[in-house]
Structure formats: structure tokens, C-alpha cells
Amino acid sequence: MSVVSTSVAEATLEQAIEMGLRPEEFEMIKEIMGRTPNFTEMCIYSVMWSEHCSYKNSIKWLKTLPKKGPHMLVEAGEENAGVVDIGDGLGCAFKIESHNHPSAIEPYQGAATGVGGINRDIFTMGARPIAQLNSLRFGKLNNEKTKWLLEGVVKGIGDYGNAFGIPVVGGEVFFDESYQTNPLVNAMSAGILSTDKIISATAKGPGNSVYIVGSATGKDGIQGASFASKDITADSADDLPSVQVGDPFQEKLLLEASLELAETDAVVGMQDMGAAGITCSSTEMSAAGKVGMKIDLDKVPKRQEDMKPFEILLSESQERMLVVVHKGKEKIVEDIFEKWDLHAVEIGEVVEGDMVSFSMKGEVVAEVSAHSLVLGGGAPVYDRESKEPAYYAENLKFNLDDIEVPDMDRIKRIASALLGLPNIASKRWVWEQYDTMVGTANMCTNKPSDAGIVNIKGTNKAIALTVDCNARYVNNDPEIGTQIAVAEAARNISCTGAVPSAITNCLNFGNPYNPEVYWQFEGAIKGMSKACLAFGTPVTGGNVSFYNQTAKEDGSASPVFPTPTIGMLGVMKDKSLHTSLDFKYKGDLIFMLGDSQNCLGSSEYLSTLLEVKNSPAPYFNLEEEVKIQACVRGLIENNFINAAHDVSDGGLYTALVEMGMPSLLGFDIVSDSEIRMDAFLFGEAQGRILVSLVEEDEDNFLDYIGEQGISCTLLGHVTKGKIHVDGDHFGFINEAKHTFDTSLEKRMAAI
């Protein structure tokens, strides 16, 4: 054990509380250390025991999620990202993470560095990123701050991702007043690696060298992990130094250098420097390998003079990695990074024991136990109080009969209005700012699909990727709503012809000390577990983002909608099976797999147009969902259908319009007399998939459906461009497309 310098003053309880620690945690730290920590050591504990790093308020429930699966190579919690075996000696590393709090304060850099961080998690493992997705949530679009946040976030994602050169293949944008001051920015990345070349984030071998590589360290992002573990308030703008600053061009260099390094035998372990910077990477790698480290902070390349020890340790400057190198192979590392014009500086070594010490100017300024700091080690674990909120009982009282059935003229107006709502309308204004076509991997450019399809070069395979979560469903019923989020992700994957394989999640909730928020969290985890087991899609990892609150004018705060975003990976064994969502030919038959329901619960129509906020989640049957999805995959494999599209937000009418727009083909359908017209067209009952097929395949189609025991309905047929329901003319598909395509950009342009 080193002698810690007395030049750094002892920390006080007041400082600990200011850093986000609780009084009892301060006492725990003193007991662990056998003394009072100094200020620098307290900074270390404050970031490592923050919710963002330790998951102290969530890990109890996260451990209940299913993590095992036949194709899992790296399970949740083992490395920077999960890895799934996709065959041919290849694995897919994928993960989703949040950058909510930084984006609320500085939307451009907050979103940009979120993209950079998630890609580093992927290539740190030796995987080359090939696809990006994002899930975004904002307040009402009639609010000028919402527009400012949306513009900044989208530009940040676009500028960073476009420069980095990885296509965006999918995503979602959702608007609700609960996100008014606290947007959600969830970024997902997927990469491909050789299964025999996975790089671990583990330090081993006392005497091995520890390198920092990439960019220099500055004062940006200090205390970022702690900042992400507290509520957003009116004063949060004062925390601007907690927002990182990204450089995509540096990241591109770092990517190439890291992948070149991965091909050598010099690397013991490597970890991205994200939350908590050097502190997190050094202690987590040490704890994983059951070793310690000695780090000389004077050797860390810096962008600013006179940086204090805690500033160096807590900086979240971007585009940096910590690499443990086999002794004697240092020159390999240095030569590679010199070639790419990046820093590669030896700052320490691996040592026996559990202690990580940091020195500066010849003195040890901090010494801590790695095990005591990390998730799964000595970090505290809590089980918070939960309480069912009063609104849940109100939701269950909803009576459909209290809603007047509109006449056909009003139905037509509703149909048009729905297509123009921000949550339904095209997000063209958003995705046109992203490079979706860089490279040759994106297979959806000319074949719009329910999920992004990415070509795996050198094989006959492709992967399918999607992000999904209807937060309104989750808010109205956390357990069922989260099951639906998993099921919809799987449904999107299945409609392309791919098989759902595994998920990553980004769990966005309010303050965990609020019992009603914690009740939502518990319910979401239970629902996710149940659905993932049913679909055989283990959880590979992700992140938890608590403290997402919208500040009110009176100084109070209300939680955002509980938003457990699901990122799902599917595997397409034969890319020739890739099925798009668009109608192909006039005269094709339109069938619906699954049944219509007299259900309006939590629909966009009910919640937004009728302003009925209290209703249950929509109809959902998990067992039926699994069977229908297996059936549609079989139909695709047998070439019985030429299009498949799930019925989700906006209901049946919206889904049909989405199928018609790519080729400007309309539809002529007949409603179900046993179902109310508004529920038939606009209800969001789950477990339904629309398919189209040529008339010659109808017999084969129906025979197969019958064998599978799936209910289906012939809705009608594809037209040249007219839209008819029960013989009533609803306009033309080109008119619907115009409304759908231009609504969001018109709202953004409105003053």
C-alpha cells in the first residue's frame, strides 16, 4: 500500500453530499478505506457510486433479466457490449446507451458525443461498426425550446455520425409533454468481429504496461457521470462543463488504429473512456482482472495546463481509450498510434493486489480499492420502495362505450389528421440529415422494411436491427407496455424475414427515490423478462438512465414517461429472403394476420385527437404474438407473400397507407361489422401483421396459415392509387403521402 499525500485535504460530509453521495454512503466509504478519504478519493467514489456507473438502484432487478441464449458469446455485464454468434466465424457486437442529460443542456454536443461513445463501446471490442440507430423523445412541438432541442440533437447526431462514416439504418422519434425539458437521446451501434478476436476490457499480468491512447485530456465532461445521476432543473445549465465535446475525425482515426491494434498480439485488454474517464476504465479493468494499477497522472497528455488530479481523473474528454499491453510489446502500440497521428502514452503498470493508486508530482494523490468501486463488487445495492400510482387504477376504469362512434365523414377527417400528427407523420425532416447510404451495407435504401437490414459482406447473411418503445403504453401499464415494446421489436424483425436473436435496452425513467417511478421500473423489468423468454431473445446489456424529470414553473418536477427502449438484433440466414413493407402490384390481395379488436386503449387517436389520457394499454396476447411472428417468417421463407408490415402506432389505416406510399399504390378494404369503425381503423391492438400477395398464391397462403393455426382476414386488394373503405372514398394515396411527408417539417418551420 502506498502512502497517500497529506497535501490533499480530507473530504467532508458536505462535499460528499454535494457530489451526490448520501450520508450513509460517506460512512461506508470511511469504513472501506479505514480512514476518511481525501477530496480526490471522494471524487472517485462519487462518480463510481453514481447511478450512472454503479446501477445501485437498479442492479437488483437487472439481475433478473434473461441473459442466456444459444448464440451468446459475451453476456450482459461481461464486457463493453454483448456479442451474438451469427455464424461463419463472425459475431455481432451491439449496444444502446443514453445521453439524455448532456443533450438537455447542450443538445448538439450531447447527442454527438452519445454517438461517439456508443461506437467506441463497439470497436473497443475489436468490432468494426457497420450500422447506427437512435431513439429520440422530445416535448410538444409547438414549444420553441422543443424545436431548439430537436434541431440541436438531430444536427449533432448527423454531423458526428456522417463524419464518422457509419450509416443510420433505423430509429424513432416520439413527442410528449412529459419530455418537455428532459429529452431522451438513445444511441445504438452494431459491429462485426471475428469470434476468435474479441478484445476484453480486463487488466491482467502484473508488470504489464498501461497506455492511454487517442486524444488529449481536457476539462470537458468533468463529473459527467454524477451529472447524469441527478434531476434536470432550471439551474442545470450551470453544469455545462459536464457536457463532453466530440471530434468525429479523431474518432475515425481511433477506430482504425484500435482495429489495427486488435490484429496484433500486443493487447491484454482495452476499454473506452466514457463515463468517469480514467477513473472508470482503470478501476473497472482492474476489478475485472482482480489486479491493481499504478497510474502517473503527470504522463497523461493534457489539453490544458495546471489540471488538478481530480480534473484529470474525472474528465470525460472524448476519443480516448485505456489499453493494457503485454510487457515488451509497447513499441507495437506506439508505432500503430503514431501512424494514425494519435497519442499512445504509457501512464502506468498493472500491479498485484486490488489497489489502484494515482500519483502526481511524485506524490500519491489517491489510492482506492478497485473492487470497492464497481458494480458487482463493493458498490452499494438498494431495493427502493415502490407504490402503484393512482392513475393506474383510473386507467382500468376506462369504458370504450363512453367514446362516441364517429360517423363516416368524421372518420375520414380523423384518418387524414392522424397521418399529420408528429408521432405518426414521416420523420423525413430528421433522417434526411443523416447519412443512411454511406458504404454498401444498408439494404433498405430501395426496399423499405420494418427493420434496418444490413449486409454482412463475404456471406449470404444479413442482420436486422430495430429500436422500439411506445412509452405511452408503458406509462399506462408498465408490465404489459414493456412486453409490447419487446414484441413490436421482434415483429419488426420478423416482418423482414429475419429471426429475432437478442436485445439490448436503454431504461429511461424518473427519480428512483420516487416510489411510483420505481413501481414503473419494476413492472417494466418484469414485462421485459417475460417477453424476452417467450421470444428467445436474451438481454445482452444496455444502460439505465434514471433522474429524467421535466421541471415545472413552480419548481416541482414530474417524471418523463417510463421509456424502456428496446434495441433488437435479428439474423437473416439468406439475404435473398429480405421482405419489404411496400405493396408491389395493383390487384394484389391484402390479408391481416391476427384479429381486429374493439380496442382504443392508449392509441394515438384516443390520447392525442380525443385527449383521453387515462386508458389501459392496448390489447396484447404474448402467446398469440409469438405464433403469428413465426407464421410470417414461414410465409416469407416459402415465398408466399411479397410484402409484410406490422400494425402499430396509428392503427390499421396508418399501416396500409405506409404500405402504399413507396409505389403510390392505394387500397380497397372492407371493415369488420363486429368492430367499431374507429377501433377497426385507428385502434392499436397488438399482434397484427399485414401482408400482400399475388392472387395466384392465395391457395398456398391459406393452406399454410391453416396449418399454423393462425387466424387471418382478407381485407381487400391493392389499387392503382385510390383509397376506399367499405366503398367510401378516402382520397388518393399521393394526397395521404403529401400529408404524411410534409407535416413535421411544416411544424418545424412554423413560428
Side-chain angles (χ1 to χ4, degrees):
M1 183 175 293
S2 308
V3 178
V4 179
S5 171
T6 56
S7 62
V8 184
E10 287 187 351
T12 65
L13 175 60
E14 290 73 22
Q15 288 172 331
I17 293 171
E18 188 177 341
M19 293 179 193
L21 292 165
R22 303 176 71 82
E24 59 270 26
E25 291 173 340
F26 184 62
E27 294 302 317
M28 288 171 61
I29 294 165
K30 290 198 291 185
E31 186 174 341
I32 290 169
M33 300 189 71
R35 59 180 173 84
T36 300
N38 65 30
F39 179 79
T40 303
E41 292 164 335
M42 181 55 61
C43 288
I44 291 171
Y45 273 97
S46 75
V47 292
M48 293 303 297
W49 282 14
S50 69
E51 182 64 37
H52 191 78
C53 291
S54 75
Y55 295 169
K56 60 188 178 185
N57 291 307
S58 55
I59 189 61
K60 174 183 179 291
W61 283 99
L62 296 179
K63 286 181 176 179
T64 67
L65 291 169
K67 300 179 178 68
K68 303 288 185 183
H71 307 297
M72 292 301 301
L73 296 175
V74 176
E75 295 180 8
E78 293 181 348
E79 300 291 349
N80 287 323
V83 181
V84 173
D85 190 346
I86 61 174
D88 296 320
L90 299 175
C92 180
F94 71 113
K95 189 181 183 183
I96 189 170
E97 281 196 342
S98 64
H99 233 223
N100 303 335
H101 285 59
S103 301
I105 304 305
E106 212 300 295
Y108 180 87
Q109 288 293 353
T113 52
V115 172
I118 196 63
N119 279 306
R120 284 196 304 280
D121 278 341
I122 300 304
F123 69 75
T124 299
M125 299 185 69
R128 180 174 290 278
I130 60 171
Q132 302 176 112
L133 303 91
N134 52 72
S135 174
L136 312 176
R137 317 278 161 156
F138 299 93
K140 292 286 189 178
L141 257 182
N142 58 3
N143 182 283
E144 288 303 309
K145 185 173 181 180
T146 296
K147 292 181 180 181
W148 175 75
L149 288 167
L150 176 60
E151 287 173 344
V153 165
V154 171
K155 186 170 175 53
I157 292 171
D159 284 359
Y160 197 104
N162 296 351
F164 189 56
I166 309 298
V168 175
V169 301
E172 59 178 355
V173 187
F174 186 88
F175 300 92
D176 184 84
E177 60 189 359
S178 73
Y179 306 105
Q180 199 64 58
T181 59
N182 195 144
L184 303 184
V185 178
N186 297 176
M188 178 175 168
S189 179
I192 302 298
L193 47 63
S194 297
T195 55
D196 59 349
K197 293 182 179 179
I198 300 173
I199 296 179
S200 176
T202 302
K204 294 179 181 178
N208 283 332
S209 302
V210 178
Y211 273 72
I212 189 170
V213 302
S215 294
T217 298
K219 294 185 179 183
D220 52 313
I222 293 173
Q223 284 281 12
S226 298
F227 171 57
S229 304
K230 62 183 182 181
D231 294 335
I232 293 288
T233 68
D235 297 325
S236 292
D238 297 337
D239 290 316
L240 195 59
S242 297
V243 180
Q244 309 90 336
V245 178
D247 183 340
F249 301 103
Q250 284 286 94
E251 177 118 333
K252 181 66 175 173
L253 297 175
L254 184 60
L255 162 70
E256 299 301 338
S258 300
L259 294 182
E260 186 174 334
L261 182 62
E263 293 293 322
T264 72
D265 62 354
V267 182
V268 177
M270 181 160 56
Q271 181 163 324
D272 160 45
M273 285 190 192
I278 294 173
T279 293
C280 186
S281 52
S282 62
T283 57
E284 285 188 347
M285 291 184 76
S286 294
K290 298 181 179 179
V291 293
M293 284 186 189
K294 287 186 177 180
I295 303 292
D296 186 348
L297 298 180
D298 287 316
K299 294 181 179 179
V300 174
K302 305 171 192 67
R303 291 205 300 268
Q304 284 133 325
E305 298 293 327
D306 301 321
M307 289 184 69
K308 298 181 176 66
F310 82 90
E311 292 175 324
I312 301 169
L313 286 169
L314 271 58
S315 168
E316 295 180 9
S317 293
Q318 300 292 285
E319 295 85 41
R320 302 178 301 156
M321 312 276 231
L322 199 72
V323 186
V324 176
V325 180
H326 285 290
K327 196 68 178 175
K329 307 228 170 152
E330 292 86 354
K331 193 171 186 309
I332 296 173
V333 179
E334 292 169 5
D335 287 349
I336 289 172
F337 280 85
E338 183 180 6
K339 168 187 169 182
W340 292 101
D341 196 25
L342 295 168
H343 292 293
V345 180
E346 186 177 353
I347 62 170
E349 64 175 342
V350 178
V351 297
E352 297 274 3
D354 173 54
M355 304 303 289
V356 180
S357 66
F358 303 98
S359 63
M360 198 166 179
K361 297 179 181 178
E363 295 183 326
V364 176
V365 294
E367 186 172 59
V368 291
S369 159
H371 178 81
S372 75
L373 290 163
V374 300
L375 168 67
V381 176
Y382 300 119
D383 185 13
R384 295 294 170 204
E385 178 190 357
S386 66
K387 176 186 174 184
E388 180 184 298
Y391 77 78
Y392 181 69
E394 289 300 310
N395 292 346
L396 299 179
K397 294 177 183 177
F398 173 77
N399 186 347
L400 184 60
D401 294 335
D402 294 337
I403 305 298
E404 179 185 358
V405 181
D407 61 26
M408 189 56 83
D409 284 341
R410 189 168 169 229
I411 285 284
K412 292 177 183 179
R413 293 195 297 272
I414 292 167
S416 180
L418 267 176
L419 295 176
L421 293 179
N423 287 338
I424 303 295
S426 169
K427 308 306 184 293
R428 184 179 69 175
W429 182 90
V430 173
W431 56 255
E432 280 188 342
Q433 298 184 55
Y434 305 153
D435 193 337
T436 60
M437 295 182 287
V438 60
T440 58
N442 188 354
M443 295 175 61
C444 293
T445 305
N446 298 312
K447 292 187 70 173
S449 309
D450 278 6
I453 307 298
V454 184
N455 182 36
I456 306 301
K457 295 178 182 178
T459 77
N460 197 39
K461 293 186 173 73
I463 58 172
L465 298 163
T466 187
V467 287
D468 288 284
C469 179
N470 187 310
R472 183 187 297 115
Y473 299 172
V474 182
N475 185 68
N476 289 354
D477 190 323
E479 188 166 345
I480 296 297
T482 307
Q483 287 184 53
I484 291 173
V486 175
E488 184 178 352
R491 202 183 316 135
N492 285 330
I493 298 284
S494 295
C495 284
T496 69
V499 179
S501 179
I503 76 161
T504 177
N505 60 53
C506 195
L507 307 177
N508 309 273
F509 290 81
N511 192 321
Y513 294 89
N514 179 338
E516 294 184 353
V517 167
Y518 208 74
W519 177 85
Q520 294 172 332
F521 178 74
E522 287 178 352
I525 297 295
K526 291 174 183 175
M528 191 182 304
S529 292
K530 190 173 182 179
C532 285
L533 287 169
F535 287 106
T537 52
V539 180
T540 64
N543 93 308
V544 178
S545 176
F546 280 136
Y547 303 96
N548 294 293
Q549 311 267 122
T550 284
K552 298 182 177 179
E553 291 181 359
D554 63 2
S556 64
S558 60
V560 301
F561 273 176
T563 310
T565 305
I566 304 298
M568 185 173 283
L569 166 75
V571 179
M572 190 177 292
K573 293 182 179 179
D574 180 357
K575 60 187 113 181
S576 68
L577 296 175
H578 174 201
T579 300
S580 59
L581 62 82
D582 53 309
F583 292 140
K584 302 301 186 296
Y585 310 106
K586 176 180 176 294
D588 277 0
L589 302 179
I590 305 170
F591 280 87
M592 181 174 69
L593 309 184
D595 295 318
S596 292
Q597 305 287 335
N598 267 315
C599 169
L600 289 177
S602 297
S603 64
E604 192 73 22
Y605 160 63
L606 184 70
S607 303
T608 302
L609 292 184
L610 300 187
E611 298 185 337
V612 177
K613 304 302 182 185
N614 288 110
S615 67
Y619 171 86
F620 177 73
N621 184 302
L622 183 56
E623 185 179 341
E624 289 176 4
E625 187 84 51
V626 172
K627 287 178 62 178
I628 286 170
Q629 292 190 30
C631 179
V632 80
R633 294 195 299 269
L635 290 168
I636 291 170
E637 192 170 350
N638 285 284
N639 292 309
F640 292 154
I641 60 176
N642 56 32
H645 184 37
D646 80 315
V647 179
S648 56
D649 300 1
L652 177 66
Y653 184 83
T654 295
L656 287 164
V657 169
E658 289 171 342
M659 296 180 80
M661 287 187 294
S663 297
L664 293 180
L665 293 170
F667 52 89
D668 188 341
I669 64 167
V670 178
S671 68
D672 187 334
S673 60
E674 296 184 4
I675 306 295
R676 324 170 21 137
M677 183 60 79
D678 54 354
F680 178 78
L681 290 176
F682 314 130
E684 298 177 14
Q686 300 294 294
R688 294 178 293 162
I689 294 174
L690 298 177
V691 300
S692 66
L693 56 143
V694 296
E695 194 170 350
E696 291 79 6
D697 284 334
E698 184 178 9
D699 289 343
N700 288 331
F701 170 83
L702 291 174
D703 287 345
Y704 185 86
I705 291 290
E707 292 169 2
Q708 303 304 310
I710 301 297
S711 76
C712 76
T713 305
L714 175 61
L715 294 176
H717 64 273
V718 179
T719 70
K720 191 174 180 179
K722 292 181 180 179
I723 299 175
H724 281 105
V725 179
D726 289 346
D728 274 285
H729 184 54
F730 274 55
F732 295 89
I733 194 68
N734 60 329
E735 297 168 343
K737 186 176 188 301
H738 180 77
T739 299
F740 184 82
D741 281 348
T742 62
S743 176
L744 184 61
E745 54 202 54
K746 285 179 178 177
R747 290 173 185 264
M748 289 299 296
I751 299 175

